Amino acid sequence: METSQLLLLLCVWALSSLSLQSAEMIEHCPDRILDNEKRRTCPKKCQQDNDCGNKRQCLCDGPCGLSCVAPGRTCPWPLPSSEHFDVTLLSPSPSFSALLEVRCHPGYTMTNGLNATIHRCQGDRQWSGDDPLCTGRNAETEPESKLACPLPDHDLLLIHGSAAIGSTIQYQCAPGYVLVGSSENFCHKDQMWRYPHPVCQRVFCPPPQEINHGYLVAVQKSEYNMGDTIYYLCKKNFLLDGPNQVTCQLDGTWSTVPSCRARCPIPAQRSRVIVGGVKSWPYDLTDGMVTHGENVTFFCKHPQKSCSFTATETCFDGLLPAPNCYREPTWFQYKLYPHRLVSEINPCDPADLDSTSE
Ligand SMILES: *[C@@H]1O[C@H](CO)[C@@H](O)[C@H](O)[C@H]1NC(C)=O
Ligand SMILES: *[C@@H]1O[C@H](CO)[C@@H](O)[C@H](O)[C@H]1NC(C)=O
């Protein structure tokens, strides 16, 4: 095996382990916002597990965003029993991100007019939201609370606001899901919503595009989650044009896919050219080629005088045209009069060039 092949393999291996790790980590998490939350403090902010020391992990902690939490720690459980509501743990254990449902007994509602709420076990080992309180149908303090519109029962659909008659609610989908339908609703007097409830659809990307002359460094899957990152590499002698990675975006599409651009053969043999600021014979350049995006300056002869001027062309994906003024010297000129080749004679005076353009 050639050394270059071995290097490429090593490189592929390094990148693929990187992409696996980041795919799990970059799972979408809202930025830290702290309204309507009981707590005032959030755990330490982070981007990745390495930011958190060895006992903690970088996990999504609701409105706190990505935070350092110890996933094994638990929230208080069981909760003290109550006369007016039942509490059910919806997750196998009351540990970080577990969900708990508080449901009012028949005839009782919460102050926002709802029957039930869901609380989440936060990184600070407290359940999210306010302490549950269910009040009776005949409670005179909350006469409007018993008249509310029915709420959808869907884990992915998060609801803000009140369902009471005359109130407005806003919907939001869990991270990685997109809301289809109206994001706001209004509860009419007849306990009917103005619009149907929206639904949450999972966001995923199809497998990313293959690119010519390049490789995808990824585990093959039929669909990818939002935030997944995949790397591209180009085959030998091709230059990556664009970002070396693509990310599955919020709308289920991939970010801009790069291209692998070919080298260009130099359309001159018996004349020196300027590449990268150096005047060279084309056969002295690697394979007589230049990389994509490189400028090549050719020498052209003044139509009347015995002097040269230059014209520059840029290599684009395998194509490098010779400028119109360039003439390839004949084999005889090259062999017998090498010092008289256009690339070797004196450059024209700027004044001479002004007269040619007139
Ligand atoms: C409240 O709960 C009862 C059953 O416990 C159910 O029939 C009713 O639809 C619920 N109301 C709302 C607004 O969820
Ligand atoms: C090539 O020339 C163009 C202008 O003629 C310049 O903008 C570009 O930066 C040059 N490219 C390189 C690789 O030097």
Side-chain angles (χ1 to χ4, degrees), residues 1-7 236:
M1 189 187 283
E2 266 179 55
T3 328
S4 63
Q5 280 175 317
L6 183 67
L7 273 177
K236 195 182 168 200

Side-chain angles (χ1 to χ4, degrees), residues 103 115 149-151:
R103 183 168 285 279
N115 257 359
C149 288
L151 281 169

Side-chain angles (χ1 to χ4, degrees), residues 126-351:
Q126 298 300 316
W127 295 102
S128 64
D130 296 328
D131 289 334
L133 177 69
C134 292
T135 45
R137 196 197 307 270
N138 301 320
E140 273 158 39
T141 48
E142 306 275 354
E144 77 277 34
S145 66
K146 51 193 167 151
L147 288 179
C149 288
L151 281 169
D153 185 17
H154 205 300
D155 284 353
L156 299 169
L157 198 58
L158 313 173
I159 293 170
H160 310 277
S162 157
I165 282 174
S167 305
T168 304
I169 58 169
Q170 282 87 37
Y171 306 92
Q172 208 191 341
C173 287
Y177 291 80
V178 65
L179 192 90
V180 180
S182 172
S183 63
E184 205 172 77
N185 218 338
F186 178 79
C187 179
H188 285 301
K189 277 209 189 74
D190 57 359
Q191 288 177 267
M192 297 287 279
W193 290 107
R194 179 174 293 168
Y195 308 110
H197 294 300
V199 293
C200 292
Q201 274 178 5
R202 191 164 88 80
V203 174
F204 62 85
C205 288
Q209 205 182 315
E210 303 274 343
I211 56 171
N212 286 334
H213 314 296
Y215 316 96
L216 269 171
V217 185
V219 184
Q220 292 233 317
K221 292 199 272 184
S222 59
E223 42 193 57
Y224 292 79
N225 291 321
M226 201 179 73
D228 280 0
T229 297
I230 284 178
Y231 292 82
Y232 283 96
L233 286 177
C234 288
K235 291 184 181 162
K236 195 182 168 200
N237 290 332
F238 286 84
L239 183 78
L240 190 79
D241 184 10
N244 73 339
Q245 62 183 69
V246 293
T247 303
C248 176
Q249 303 176 124
L250 271 171
D251 63 356
T253 63
W254 292 97
S255 56
T256 314
V257 172
S259 306
C260 291
R261 306 292 193 182
R263 299 189 299 173
C264 299
I266 296 174
Q269 277 101 49
R270 302 183 199 112
S271 197
R272 285 204 288 174
V273 290
I274 302 175
V275 176
V278 181
K279 191 169 173 181
S280 334
W281 294 101
Y283 53 73
D284 283 338
L285 297 165
T286 312
D287 304 333
M289 308 268 246
V290 287
T291 52
H292 169 77
E294 190 117 56
N295 291 332
V296 178
T297 298
F298 297 81
F299 291 89
C300 295
K301 190 181 167 298
H302 189 287
Q304 285 92 37
K305 310 204 168 166
S306 180
C307 64
S308 71
F309 63 98
T310 60
T312 299
E313 297 285 346
T314 304
C315 165
F316 190 92
D317 200 12
L319 291 179
L320 175 67
N324 286 333
C325 64
Y326 178 76
R327 300 282 171 272
E328 179 72 11
T330 64
W331 188 84
F332 281 106
Q333 286 169 329
Y334 175 71
K335 279 290 170 195
L336 301 180
Y337 309 107
H339 298 294
R340 289 198 222 154
L341 292 174
V342 175
S343 64
E344 309 308 306
I345 61 178
N346 284 335
C348 298
D349 209 66

Side-chain angles (χ1 to χ4, degrees), residues 30-35 37 42 62-65 172:
D31 283 339
R32 186 165 283 194
I33 42 163
L34 262 183
D35 48 305
E37 277 288 281
C42 286
C64 281
Q172 208 191 341

